[in-house]
Amino acid sequence: MTAEGEPREELFRLVRSLKERLRVDGELGRPLTYLVREKAVAATNEGGESAQDLRESPVAKKSGLDGVREMLGDCRRCPLHRTRHSLVFGEGNPEADLVFVGEAPGADEDAQGRPFVGRAGQLLTKIIVAMGFKREEVYICNILKCRPPGNRNPQPEEIAPCEPFLIRQLEAIRPRVICALGTFAAHTLLKSEAPISVLRGRFHSYQGIPLMPTYHPAYLLRNPGAKKQVWEDVQMIMKTLGNGT
Ligand code: URA
């Protein structure tokens, strides 16, 4: 590559990423304040359309989990749609106090269209019950809504188009606590690259909501010794929610 080629490539990358952000934000009805701030302020001053008006446009008003599901549609925003059998949106109480966010559907979830229904899911259900909840009282979803083939790790280009929908789901539910299951959930939600072993064990903040990272149930199946730490983590969640201890 020539010395001139690199900034050109960088510019193309930036334009591509801005186009993708505009497309997803537009579809979701997210306010494009990074583009319209000056116009919105000027319009407000003239007694016209304010930034608040823009936020309350008919598209942006499509709120609630059903609205997010509708926006997602028959998603083809990343290559995972080619290999998936089902899109796994998430399930549970739309007004849950507690939301669990995992990594991505596995084979069982892909087959059934429901999150955490395989072996790791059965363990998660046991954890939820041990916390004093019924599974249907909490909400369960993932960073990715489609299964990566062979259960490989989620790729940044898969997370990027999927994340706005997770953000919208969390905005719609507005839980009192979020539990991030495993590295990918913790890294994506906290924008951190610290190891899960360092992140777990204390609350972080996600948009003002206490977020507890802990080990993924699939990790616990391979490393049962880590169950003690997960129990410590979920006890902190229970205390915050006024459940049990
Ligand atoms: N692992 C996850 O992270 N999510 C699921 O839904 C199932 C297994």
Side-chain angles (χ1 to χ4, degrees), residues 147-162:
R147 180 190 185 211
N151 295 350
R152 63 157 170 71
N153 288 340
Q155 301 299 302
E157 61 273 21
E158 296 156 0
I159 296 176
C162 219

Side-chain angles (χ1 to χ4, degrees), residues 163-208:
E163 191 185 358
F165 296 94
L166 173 64
I167 293 171
R168 261 295 168 103
Q169 282 173 292
L170 295 171
E171 277 173 7
I173 301 169
R174 198 77 205 159
R176 288 171 59 207
V177 175
I178 297 168
C179 181
L181 299 167
T183 303
F184 279 93
H187 284 185
T188 304
L189 292 170
L190 295 176
K191 303 293 169 221
S192 162
E193 290 184 2
I196 186 71
S197 56
V198 170
L199 294 170
R200 61 150 293 273
R202 67 196 159 90
F203 280 109
H204 301 251
S205 175
Y206 170 84
Q207 302 286 319

Side-chain angles (χ1 to χ4, degrees), residues 102-106 109 115-116 142 216:
E103 180 177 314
E109 291 77 20
F116 280 100
N142 284 301
H216 193 286

Side-chain angles (χ1 to χ4, degrees), residues 115-137:
F116 280 100
V117 288
R119 277 185 72 219
Q122 284 159 22
L123 181 51
L124 176 62
T125 304
K126 280 189 188 161
I127 294 170
I128 292 168
V129 170
M131 292 174 78
F133 291 105
K134 292 182 184 136
R135 186 176 151 115
E136 56 273 22
E137 284 175 331

